[in-house]
Every structure is written in structure tokens, then in C-alpha cells.
Amino acid sequence: MQEEEILMKKMTFPDNLLLKSWVFWIIVKCSLKISYEMNSTDTLTQWGKDSFYGLILPWFCGAIWSEFGFLSMGAIAANIYIVFVILFQIYSLSSSLKKVIWTLFVLAMFTIWLEPWITFVIRGNLEALLSFTLLKGILFAADAISSAVWFMLTYWICETLDKEF
């Protein structure tokens, strides 16, 4: 009976502007990643694009832009779950929703701070690793700022969900 009630609900955007914007951003970033993956080819130029996007886009998209496919697709699935719960206002899932949001925050921090190092070590390219170390040192401030923004937004979104749900 409860599943039928969920399926019969109308999809509505939340009243809160932060939640509306966040749902819209989730849809945009998931669509961007899926379309990028569908158009990607295995060339050296593509590897350069992947590396550049892998450094910059995690600041804005989090784990969705991970180079690890299972992590990226898992983050997309979690984001779709979030959008589904918010748009269909499934109040009974609000506690699990916050756990998913904080999990995505942790995965975003992994993607920003650890994943670039792991991918270069796995590839075993010492020259690229040395040049990356310099680049990552320069981008340290951007990593720190984006991490702080991610934390604040995650906290505000969870607080807003408490008020909305």
C-alpha cells in the first residue's frame, strides 16, 4: 500500500530556494557527467581532458566526477535517490536522506584530496606525478576553499531538510 501511495504522489519542487537550486544542480551535474562519459574516447587528448576535469570538476560536482567508475556511478545513483526523495516528498526517508548527503560529502572529500594521488600512483608515471605534485601544491588553496564550501553547503542543506521535512 505504501509503495502505491509513493507512486501516486505528484512531483513537486520544494518551497525553499536552497533546496530548489540544489535539486537543479544535481540534475545538471549528473547530466553533464553522463553525457561526458557517453562521448568519451580513449585517446591521449581524452586522457588530458580527463585529468584536467578530474582536478577542477570535483570542486563543483564531488564524487560524480571521480575517475573510479564505480564511485562515480554510485554517486550519481545516490544523487538520483536524493532528487527522488525531495521531489516526491517522501518524509519517511528523511533520516536516510541526510546519511546519504553526508556520505556524498565524504566521497567528495576523497575525490578532491586523495583520488588524484591514487590515480597517478596507479598509472605509475613518475614524471606526471612530479609535475602533478607542483600543480596540486598550487591548487591547495582552491582544494581547501572548496572543501569548506562543501561542508557548509552540506550542513545547510541538512538543516533545511529538517525544516522542510
Side-chain angles (χ1 to χ4, degrees), residues 90-146:
I90 306 171
Y91 301 115
S92 60
L93 298 176
S94 65
S95 64
S96 71
L97 184 63
K98 288 188 269 182
K99 291 175 187 172
V100 170
I101 292 168
W102 280 107
T103 300
L104 285 173
F105 167 75
V106 170
L107 292 175
M109 295 304 101
F110 170 81
T111 305
I112 291 170
W113 291 100
L114 297 177
E115 184 181 316
W117 300 104
I118 293 170
T119 55
F120 274 105
V121 168
I122 289 172
R123 289 186 185 136
N125 189 345
L126 184 60
E127 293 170 358
L129 182 61
L130 292 175
S131 62
F132 178 74
T133 303
L134 177 63
L135 177 63
K136 204 59 173 159
I138 293 169
L139 296 176
F140 178 81
D143 287 348
I145 291 169
S146 70

Side-chain angles (χ1 to χ4, degrees), residues 2-131:
Q2 188 178 15
E3 291 176 16
E4 292 174 4
E5 291 174 8
I6 291 172
L7 293 175
M8 299 302 288
K9 280 189 165 189
K10 290 182 183 177
M11 182 174 74
T12 57
F13 274 88
D15 294 330
N16 185 287
L17 182 60
L18 175 64
L19 289 181
K20 272 185 201 175
S21 302
W22 187 50
V23 166
F24 178 72
W25 177 241
I26 287 173
I27 294 168
V28 167
K29 68 184 181 179
C30 287
S31 301
L32 176 68
K33 177 63 175 183
I34 291 169
S35 67
Y36 182 81
E37 289 297 326
M38 293 176 87
N39 293 324
S40 128
T41 58
D42 291 330
T43 65
L44 186 58
T45 307
Q46 189 64 37
W47 180 82
K49 284 182 185 177
D50 289 343
S51 296
F52 175 73
Y53 291 150
L55 284 174
I56 305 301
L57 288 178
W59 295 336
F60 306 104
C61 299
I64 285 178
W65 214 267
S66 173
E67 289 187 42
F68 301 125
F70 66 92
L71 184 61
S72 178
M73 292 304 138
I76 289 172
N79 276 287
I80 290 171
Y81 170 79
I82 291 167
V83 169
F84 182 79
V85 170
I86 291 174
L87 292 183
F88 287 99
Q89 298 175 347
I90 306 171
Y91 301 115
S92 60
L93 298 176
S94 65
S95 64
S96 71
L97 184 63
K98 288 188 269 182
K99 291 175 187 172
V100 170
I101 292 168
W102 280 107
T103 300
L104 285 173
F105 167 75
V106 170
L107 292 175
M109 295 304 101
F110 170 81
T111 305
I112 291 170
W113 291 100
L114 297 177
E115 184 181 316
W117 300 104
I118 293 170
T119 55
F120 274 105
V121 168
I122 289 172
R123 289 186 185 136
N125 189 345
L126 184 60
E127 293 170 358
L129 182 61
L130 292 175
S131 62

